[in-house]
Amino acid sequence: SASCRREMEVVPHVTVNIRWIPPEMASNSDAETCQLAEPTNNQSRRIGTLSCKQDKASWEYDSCSGFGILKKEEHDAILTNVSDIYDKDPLNPRDHYEAPPVKRVKAIYGINLETEVGAVYKRRRAIAVSKNKVRSMHKLDLYAKLGPAGGLDGFELEKGVLMETRDTPQMIDGPTKFTSSVMRRSGDGTVPYYSLQFCRTWERQCVVSISELDGAEHRAILADKRFHKILTEYVTMEGDG
């Protein structure tokens, strides 16, 4: 009828734009050019079984690097800056496998403070806020927890943030693959322990000396009397510097 047609004419039309985002691969073609690239299978480290206490059923969580998160959130400008400023630098300042061109390296850092080493995210159900505003695709999974079986020994997970503690087993790198060992340590509250002690791998290229200060925080160490004592003794030592 005519009235029926008039009612149909005022029904609003909704346009839906759909874009397919393919699953992230274990390795990425940018791995050779970007320092934030997704690690390959033999470099990745899963964080054990995770579960969600909001549901009786367990959820599966995939590992993802910082590169993967930035790529999914379409922060291409950040990745471009990393590539242009660091990766294309002819001095290659981020090649940590080669020791700096010095005879001696002295490392002094704090240890055994809870230090963030990862996070657990979940996808938002909707990212559109308004016509011209969207939210990030991911947010911290506040209800995730390490499962009773397969959880990481010595790690803590609270409100989506994974922390290493003084009880976390750490692989201590030596100058060769045959000199590695395992100790229980954590970082200085900002830098994870693995990064702090990485200079041990330079021992075949230069003389490396390390002093670890229990409980010294990343910035507060500059006011720590133990740090001042070690530094003074080192810079005033006799012999060929």
Side-chain angles (χ1 to χ4, degrees):
S1 66
S3 64
C4 200
R5 284 196 300 271
R6 284 195 297 270
E7 290 179 1
M8 292 180 63
E9 289 174 358
V10 298
V11 174
H13 290 79
V14 178
T15 301
V16 178
N17 295 318
I18 299 176
R19 182 168 62 90
W20 164 248
I21 299 178
E24 185 177 344
M25 302 303 292
S27 60
N28 195 290
S29 59
D30 292 327
E32 296 180 358
T33 59
C34 181
Q35 293 286 354
L36 291 177
E38 183 75 14
T40 57
N41 282 330
N42 60 351
Q43 294 175 318
S44 62
R45 183 170 124 183
R46 285 195 172 274
I47 60 173
T49 302
L50 293 168
S51 63
C52 181
K53 63 182 181 182
Q54 282 188 311
D55 263 314
K56 293 182 179 180
S58 296
W59 296 86
E60 293 184 355
Y61 293 81
D62 296 326
S63 60
C64 184
S65 72
F67 173 87
I69 292 292
L70 290 172
K71 195 70 174 177
K72 287 181 176 181
E73 297 285 359
E74 298 185 346
H75 291 310
D76 295 332
I78 297 177
L79 299 176
T80 299
N81 286 337
V82 171
S83 178
D84 291 344
I85 296 174
Y86 294 103
D87 302 331
K88 295 180 181 179
D89 189 325
L91 297 179
N92 200 14
R94 286 156 61 100
D95 182 10
H96 53 267
Y97 293 103
E98 185 175 345
V102 295
K103 293 181 180 180
R104 301 175 184 273
V105 170
K106 177 62 178 179
I108 309 173
Y109 52 81
I111 61 170
N112 290 339
L113 295 177
E114 290 189 357
T115 304
E116 180 179 348
V117 294
V120 181
Y121 292 91
K122 66 179 180 180
R123 288 281 299 269
R124 293 185 187 271
R125 294 183 177 180
I127 62 174
V129 177
S130 61
K131 181 178 180 180
N132 298 314
K133 184 179 179 180
V134 295
R135 296 181 296 183
S136 62
M137 186 182 300
H138 302 85
K139 66 177 181 178
L140 283 174
D141 191 341
L142 304 181
Y143 298 97
K145 63 178 181 179
L146 292 174
L152 285 184
D153 178 27
F155 286 85
E156 294 182 359
L157 181 64
E158 184 177 357
K159 294 184 178 180
V161 178
L162 184 69
M163 311 286 284
E164 63 180 9
T165 71
R166 62 170 56 244
D167 297 321
T168 302
Q170 304 280 359
M171 179 64 69
I172 309 301
D173 288 322
T176 70
K177 65 180 181 180
F178 302 107
T179 55
S180 297
S181 59
V182 177
M183 301 177 68
R184 292 186 181 271
R185 297 280 195 281
S186 61
D188 63 2
T190 298
V191 181
Y193 185 78
Y194 180 82
S195 296
L196 291 172
Q197 61 85 49
F198 191 82
C199 57
R200 297 179 193 273
T201 62
W202 300 339
E203 289 179 348
R204 298 185 67 181
Q205 304 174 59
C206 60
V207 178
V208 177
S209 175
I210 295 177
S211 297
E212 298 182 342
L213 304 183
D214 193 281
E217 194 270 337
H218 183 70
R219 292 187 178 182
I221 191 175
L222 296 177
D224 194 307
K225 293 181 179 180
R226 296 172 296 172
F227 171 77
H228 298 158
K229 183 176 185 295
I230 294 171
L231 181 61
T232 301
E233 292 176 348
Y234 184 77
V235 299
T236 58
M237 61 185 291
E238 296 182 358
D240 183 14

